[in-house]
Amino acid sequence: MPQTQRSNNIRPINLSNDDLSAEKKFKLRVRQVHRRRTSILMLIFGGISLAFGGQLYQAHQIKAQTQTQLVQQQQKLHNARSRSNDLHAQVRQLHDPEYLDNLIRYRFNYSRDGEIIYNIPSEANKNLNF
């Protein structure tokens, strides 16, 4: 049986440039240029992406900070309106002569002619059962 000779497809890795034909050199050069261009474009795209990502993160942080300040200011506004309503109610009550009479009597221990005011200690108030 005659032996057929097989073609050897294995090539050495470290070929010198002299061994390559001009067409292969051209293809290798084109491939290197494309790799370099692709690398440069990827670096540029990565830089732009990082810049826009940083801007997006900064905008998100500013929005969160503004939201926090808004909630705090709304709480202050609510407290101020509540205090204002309380003060307006107090002013309306102070224009009422009956309320004003009671306020002066209890807060400043003012008495009418012929009245006697007795001060009962607070401990005694707890023991009294009415």
Side-chain angles (χ1 to χ4, degrees), residues 105-121:
R105 289 170 60 95
Y106 289 111
R107 185 175 269 178
F108 301 111
N109 291 329
Y110 184 77
S111 64
R112 293 184 183 155
D113 290 336
E115 279 187 335
I116 299 174
I117 297 176
Y118 295 100
N119 287 328
I120 301 173

Side-chain angles (χ1 to χ4, degrees), residues 11-49:
R11 294 184 187 167
I13 295 176
N14 295 326
L15 291 175
S16 66
N17 287 339
D18 297 336
D19 295 341
L20 299 175
S21 67
E23 184 180 335
K24 288 184 180 182
K25 286 180 182 179
F26 179 74
K27 286 183 181 180
L28 181 62
R29 177 71 181 145
V30 168
R31 192 177 306 143
Q32 287 174 346
V33 168
H34 285 306
R35 282 186 193 153
R36 186 178 304 137
R37 285 181 185 165
T38 304
S39 299
I40 290 171
L41 286 175
M42 292 299 282
L43 284 173
I44 291 171
F45 180 73
I48 291 171
S49 296

Side-chain angles (χ1 to χ4, degrees), residues 79-126:
N79 291 343
R81 284 185 178 166
S82 175
R83 175 91 171 123
S84 176
N85 290 338
D86 291 345
L87 290 174
H88 282 297
Q90 189 176 8
V91 167
R92 280 192 304 270
Q93 287 176 341
L94 288 174
H95 288 297
D96 180 18
E98 189 175 314
Y99 174 78
L100 192 58
D101 184 45
N102 287 334
L103 180 67
I104 291 171
R105 289 170 60 95
Y106 289 111
R107 185 175 269 178
F108 301 111
N109 291 329
Y110 184 77
S111 64
R112 293 184 183 155
D113 290 336
E115 279 187 335
I116 299 174
I117 297 176
Y118 295 100
N119 287 328
I120 301 173
S122 61
E123 289 295 320
N125 286 339
K126 290 180 184 178

Side-chain angles (χ1 to χ4, degrees), residues 68-79:
T68 303
Q69 290 175 352
L70 177 65
V71 168
Q72 290 173 350
Q73 293 301 324
Q74 285 176 341
Q75 183 64 34
K76 285 182 181 179
L77 177 63
H78 175 72
N79 291 343

